[in-house]
Amino acid sequence: GSSKPMKQTLEMPLIKDVMAPVATITLGFSVHEAAKKIIQDKFNHLPVVDENSRLVGIVTSWDVSKALALSKSDKLAPIMTRNVITVAPDDPADLAVRLLEKHNISALPVIDKDKKVLGIVTGEGLSKLISRGVQP
Amino acid sequence: GSSKPMKQTLEMPLIKDVMAPVATITLGFSVHEAAKKIIQDKFNHLPVVDENSRLVGIVTSWDVSKALALSKSDKLAPIMTRNVITVAPDDPADLAVRLLEKHNISALPVIDKDKKVLGIVTGEGLSKLISRGVQP
Ligand SMILES: C[S@@+](CC[C@H](N)C(=O)[O-])C[C@H]1O[C@@H](n2cnc3c(N)ncnc32)[C@H](O)[C@@H]1O
């Protein structure tokens, strides 16, 4: 078959070059509903937003497991992480690598100046970049 | 303070250079017990072994969420993944990057010829390698 030449930038990639779309949930979701969304959408990281679509927390399958392990209530608020480490679209991609390592986390929501969620950067996504020969 | 010079190999790193220790569980565990272990030990990937310590499956917080989402039983067998993608200690590290990408997973158990679990390689661990300037 034919193959198109792959575009490759020699400049340092930015967060917006490596981020992926992400689904969000609201504080009204239960743990059970969050678990369903994680499984259905195959997103492991669900940013939680308030009524103005602003980021207020993040929930992962890890937090769902925590709810089950601790047999806590089915409410999202007690198990979500509130201090979310985030990046901006124009940050350099290597900042994400350093933040993931420093905080021992697997994904970073990308937000704009109004805390609206634009996407997500995962260790997986960064590994893909690297496996294509791009050094972040 | 004083700082030791860091050892750095110019050769391609092997799986055994990048793998981390991992806890395993047996088929006798319940989903609830697996969730507890995931939270307590902070291991997201629990290889499941049989009575001869041979790998038979893997359970992650993802599978725990699936159990909760589907309100399945508390048994481990129905929710664990049986076709585990694995690597060997002497495989090159870049094989792990390719397998994680190809199968859209976040960790690979490292097993010997008898299917005994020696450790685990995660996307995170590989990212750390890369952030230290080593190209897998
Ligand atoms: C397909 S991933 C999807 C979620 C997310 N991308 C992640 O990696 O966690 C989740 C599933 O992968 C399975 N899994 C994890 N590591 C695996 C491995 N090395 N081989 C086969 N399946 C694995 C888990 O049991 C779980 O059912």
Side-chain angles (χ1 to χ4, degrees), chain A residues 124, chain B residues 45 58 60 62-63 81 83-85 104-109:
Chain A
E124 245 175 82
Chain B
H45 299 78
I58 192 163
T60 69
W62 175 271
D63 303 306
T81 301
N83 293 322
V84 188
I85 318 293
N104 189 29
I105 48 180
S106 47
L108 301 161

Side-chain angles (χ1 to χ4, degrees), chain A residues 57-110:
Chain A
I58 193 162
V59 168
T60 68
S61 57
W62 177 273
D63 301 307
V64 170
S65 297
K66 199 161 87 183
L68 190 71
L70 305 180
S71 300
K72 280 200 176 175
S73 77
D74 199 40
K75 294 264 191 301
L76 211 58
I79 58 131
M80 77 177 190
T81 301
R82 285 168 193 275
N83 293 320
V84 188
I85 318 290
T86 60
V87 282
D90 290 321
D91 286 337
D94 72 329
L95 173 66
V97 176
R98 279 181 283 131
L99 287 174
L100 293 177
E101 173 174 5
K102 184 177 170 198
H103 298 281
N104 193 26
I105 50 181
S106 46
L108 298 161
V110 184

